[in-house]
C-alpha cells in the first residue's frame, strides 16, 4: 500500500492497540462466546497489518480462512455444544493462575528482547513486479497443480469424515428380540420403525 509514512504509523498504532485489546479480551472474558468474537477481531487486525506490509494475498487468506471459516466454526461449536454447568472451583486455582502469569510474563519478556535485538531493515522503496495474487495463482495452476489438487482432495476427505463422525445415532427405543433387524445404527428412527412393520 502506497501510503504516507504518517498514515502508516497511525494505522499501525490503531491496529496494534486493537489487536492487543482484543487478545486481552479473549483471555480475560469469562464468557466464551465473547472470547470467540474478540478472536475474530484479532484475526481482522492481523489482516490489516498484512495489508500495511503489502501482503494482499495473505490478508485476504487471513480473513477468508481464519475469520470466515475457523472463527465461525468455533462460534457454531460453542453455541451448539455449550452446556450451562456449574463447575466447582479447584483448590489449586490460585497457584495455577500464578504459574500462568509467570510463564506469560516470561514469554512476553523473551519476545520483547527478540524484537529489540533484531536489526530490522526499513525500506520505503516500492516493490516492483506483478501483483502477488497473480503470481501465486500462476504457480498454483502451473508448477504446483498436482500438490494443490491433492490438498483439495485431502480436505474434501477430511470434511466427509467429519460429517460422518458428527452424525447422530438414532436407535429404536424398543427392539423385539424375536425379529432380526439388519440396519445400520445411524439410520433414522422412522425408517427403522417402518422397516420392522414390513418384515412381518
Amino acid at each position: 500500500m502506497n501510503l504516507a509514512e504518517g498514515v502508516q504509523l497511525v494505522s499501525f498504532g490503531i491496529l496494534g492497540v486493537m489487536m492487543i485489546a482484543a487478545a486481552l479480551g479473549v483471555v480475560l472474558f469469562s464468557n466464551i462466546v465473547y472470547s470467540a468474537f474478540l478472536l475474530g477481531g484479532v484475526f481482522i487486525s492481523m489482516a490489516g497489518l498484512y495489508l500495511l506490509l503489502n501482503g494482499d494475498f495473505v490478508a485476504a487468506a487471513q480473513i477468508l480462512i481464519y475469520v470466515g471459516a475457523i472463527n465461525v466454526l468455533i462460534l457454531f461449536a460453542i453455541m451448539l455444544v455449550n452446556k450451562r454447568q456449574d463447575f466447582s472451583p479447584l483448590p489449586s486455582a490460585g497457584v495455577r493462575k500464578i504459574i500462568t502469569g509467570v510463564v506469560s510474563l516470561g514469554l512476553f519478556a523473551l519476545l520483547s528482547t527478540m524484537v529489540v535485538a533484531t536489526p530490522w531493515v526499513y525500506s520505503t522503496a516500492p516493490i516492483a513486479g506483478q501483483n502477488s495474487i497473480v503470481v501465486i495463482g500462476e504457480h498454483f495452476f502451473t508448477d504446483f497443480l498436482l500438490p494443490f489438487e491433492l490438498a483439495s482432495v485431502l480436505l474434501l476427505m477430511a470434511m466427509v469424515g467429519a460429517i460422518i463422525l458428527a452424525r447422530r445415532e438414532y436407535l429404536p427405543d424398543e427392539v423385539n428380540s424375536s425379529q432380526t433387524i439388519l440396519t445400520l445404527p445411524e439410520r433414522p428412527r422412522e425408517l427403522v420403525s417402518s422397516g420392522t412393520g414390513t418384515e412381518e
Side-chain angles (χ1 to χ4, degrees):
M1 297 177 68
N2 297 323
L3 298 175
E5 184 178 356
V7 177
Q8 288 185 0
L9 289 176
V10 171
S11 301
F12 178 77
I14 293 173
L15 290 171
V17 170
M18 189 169 79
M19 181 187 299
I20 293 173
L24 288 175
V26 171
V27 178
L28 298 178
F29 267 105
S30 59
N31 192 337
I32 194 170
V33 178
Y34 294 159
S35 298
F37 277 113
L38 289 173
L39 183 62
V42 174
F43 291 150
I44 293 174
S45 303
M46 292 177 64
L49 292 178
Y50 290 145
L51 281 178
L52 289 179
L53 295 173
N54 290 325
D56 45 3
F57 175 78
V58 183
Q62 175 80 18
I63 294 177
L64 289 175
I65 296 174
Y66 284 97
V67 180
I70 296 178
N71 197 47
V72 173
L73 179 63
I74 291 172
L75 283 172
F76 272 102
I78 290 170
M79 291 179 178
L80 291 175
V81 183
N82 189 19
K83 295 181 179 179
R84 298 184 178 274
Q85 296 178 355
D86 296 329
F87 296 99
S88 59
L90 298 175
S92 61
V95 178
R96 294 182 181 183
K97 289 182 180 180
I98 294 174
I99 295 175
T100 304
V102 171
V103 172
S104 301
L105 289 176
L107 288 175
F108 181 75
L110 181 64
L111 290 175
S112 301
T113 305
M114 184 270 299
V115 168
V116 173
T118 302
W120 302 100
V121 178
Y122 182 72
S123 176
T124 58
I127 300 175
Q130 282 184 311
N131 190 359
S132 61
I133 298 179
V134 176
V135 176
I136 292 173
E138 289 179 354
H139 283 296
F140 265 156
F141 292 101
T142 54
D143 301 331
F144 301 100
L145 179 61
L146 182 60
F148 180 69
E149 293 297 329
L150 287 177
S152 63
V153 171
L154 287 176
L155 289 174
L156 179 62
M157 292 170 59
M159 184 180 68
V160 172
I163 292 173
I164 292 175
L165 291 175
R167 291 178 65 184
R168 296 181 181 272
E169 294 185 355
Y170 293 98
L171 294 174
D173 295 332
E174 296 179 359
V175 179
N176 192 356
S177 58
S178 62
Q179 296 178 351
T180 302
I181 303 176
L182 299 176
T183 56
L184 293 176
E186 61 265 15
R187 288 184 63 187
R189 182 173 296 157
E190 293 80 6
L191 295 180
V192 174
S193 60
S194 62
T196 55
T198 56
E199 290 179 359
E200 296 178 355

